[in-house]
Amino acid sequence: KKSPQPLRSDPGRRAATAKVMEEVGRLYEQQYAVALFNKVRFDIEGGGGPQPQLLHRKIPLENKSIFSGSIFQFQEDSKKWRNRFLLVPDSYNINIYESNSSHEKNGQPKGSINCAGYKVLTSMEQYLELISNSLPGVKARVGSSPFLKCPSQFPLLLWHPYSKHHYFCLTTEKEQQKWHAVLQDCVRHANDGLSEEQKVQTPAFTDAVRLYRQAKGHYGTWEMMCGQPAQILSNLVMEVLHPELRDLISPRLKGKLHDRQRNWMLISDAVYSLVQSQCQSQYEALVQRCEAGQPAIEANIRTDMDQIITSKEYVTNKIRAVVLPKAEKLLKVSIEPYISSILEALMEPTSRGFSEVREVFFRELVDMSKNSVNNGTKETHMEKISMLAFHPVKMQSCYEKVEALSLEGLQQRFDVSSPNVFVQRAQILMREQMDNAVYTFEKILHQSLESQGTEELCKTIQRCQDRVIKKFDYDSSTVRKRFFREALLQIFIPYMLKQLTPSFASDLPHFQELIFEDFSRFILVDNIFEEVVLHSVMKDIMMAVKEAAVQRRHNLYRDSIVLSNSDPSLHLLGENPSIDWAKEYGEEKRRMKQVVSMIQVDGNPIIPESCLEAPGVEDIPEEEENESLKVEEKKVATESKQEEKLQNEVAKEEASKLVENSGEDSKPNGEKTVAPTEEVTKDAPMDDNPTEVIQSDAEPAEEVPLKIPPQNGARDSDNPPESTTDFPPPPHDDSGFQSPTSDAAEDEEVGNEQIKTIEEASDKEAPQSVDSESKEQ
């Protein structure tokens, strides 16, 4: 139970970190020169491939945040559950504040969580199973962890193999589902990998880490290849240091089960923080050293480019003649029989996920058309459409389709650590395609509104929608085929290298003698060997993906169908700044916009529910038990309104007849007919044609053909997507607050009682746990 402060002078930790950084640094310097050569060559020769049809937004979340709200968090120091305010900005780091008021006063957060490498758990059983595996010979039960007794049945836990764990708790299942979607989005974003804009640093770093792990005998995918470079290097160090530290510390831990677990987590977190700090400083020095010599190296590359390429091709042919026979034999026996089955396992859930993205995009545009007809406030709907790709709750149905991806039975054969690597990559691609579609739709719609006006808004929206969906189908096919090829290479190449490397380990150094010394830093024999192995299997992979596209089972375009840039004016629009719909077509909002809005009650320290929707996100599709009842009530209300209108028209005709026949009775009849007529026209937004407005409440008007698109890809029969309701959502303001109904008031009273009970129970239990610890000491 001693503080982990003495670990600062731990020579074992410093030596382990220094050793890893020395080996990775040597590989990084070698790969940096190779990556620089590849970049310069690509800039000179250029690259082919199909051009995307959709526009790409450079800074999608500018001046926006993802999510914020209040949640119960377990405090390690006081061992109590306390209400905290969490904010998820555009960086996807979770900032923790004491309260909402401290955040509004621009105070500094009490803490911040970088979600790289974390797993989001929704039950204590899952968490304690992972905790039990961290200490040898220790098995935990749910009831055997008093320091983490959750006050409700809706926990959310962030687990990391080396870093600090975080414990949250919600009062309702609806809150838990929303926060779970948000936290998963934070983990997904943090695990996405390094920036592809760094054309030299990123490939040099990833190749250095891969070669380091291969030298240690670790081939295949690696789940902890996530986060920033310092975090990845720290994970490399902890992969070696953590088992040694556990064997050294575990016998010395005393006390009850939960005390040993808690102390071990504190020690592991302290060591991980120190390792990360040391890796950060050494990596920054390494990058600065390489970048300082970049101008001289690049000058040599541009001067001797032709000679370097010729020398590389000569050595490649020599290595190919030796390696290719064994590689083709391995390919025929161990790879080819599994290509089609693995490709099918990848294609089925991925195609369903992209099909769901298309459906969600279409449904949102249909809702936008209906809301624009009935409410006439297009700026609020465009604000919601604009951030659709970054709305974790609305995108959850798309992400869930891909989570069904399973490589069971193939993980051990091909050394695949987990399918999560491919699942998260597919989800990131889905989010990018959704944002590209939304951004392209915004640009096309804005151009149409400037030239044609808003008189036929629904027809304009439909024309823009059809245009964008065609482009989405083409880009979706291109992105998926590239994803399938990359995934198959990630599965097969490490396996082939593991099988072939021992056979050629002694022969490869001899090929280095064929390279001129001046070119030796740009031509590495190990890299050429991997390229030869990659090209040997690439032909079969390309053929398998091409056959899948010809079958059209998953709506993939054939490779022969290559669309050029058929819409040059559209790409010119992409260079313009982003459109501020609220400023141009409505009131400009002064507060920071949030993708998922939350209701916060000012001046009330007890928040009844921490995950309530603001009016701006009322269209989130959620399962409600009484949804069918609400639809029936709306239908009845619409029918009664139409019946009342017909009765008023009949009464008006009778009154006019009475006025003609008897002048003295005209006044009372006129009063009787005028009052109901005014009441009907007050509800109708258009006095000239109330019949058309009432018809649009029940179903789209005939002049606005909103057709359902053809289904793209296989559909999940067990989980069909929710059908778009025929009724528009209720009108709303954009202030971020909503007037409470009677049901909401009852929920607020129930929530207040739950929170008071949780805080009282936490205050009562904390002293007891402290006393029990003092007795054990």
Side-chain angles (χ1 to χ4, degrees), residues 1-8 263 266-267 270:
K1 293 187 178 180
K2 293 182 179 180
S3 171
Q5 190 71 17
L7 289 171
R8 292 184 181 276
N263 292 331
L266 292 175
I267 293 173

Side-chain angles (χ1 to χ4, degrees), residues 327-328 331-332 335-337 339-340 343 485 488 492 496 534-547:
E328 290 180 346
L331 179 65
K332 186 175 182 179
I335 302 296
E336 288 182 356
I339 291 180
S340 59
L343 180 59
R485 290 193 293 265
L488 290 174
F492 294 139
M496 296 185 69
L534 185 146
H535 283 87
S536 66
V537 71
M538 177 61 77
K539 181 180 179 181
D540 294 273
I541 291 177
M542 296 286 289
M543 185 61 65
V545 176
K546 183 178 180 180
E547 291 177 356

Side-chain angles (χ1 to χ4, degrees), residues 564-588:
S564 59
N565 188 5
S566 58
D567 205 347
S569 61
L570 178 61
H571 288 269
L572 294 177
L573 291 177
E575 300 175 0
N576 298 331
S578 299
I579 304 168
D580 191 345
W581 293 92
K583 181 178 180 180
E584 189 163 349
Y585 291 96
E587 272 187 30
E588 183 178 2

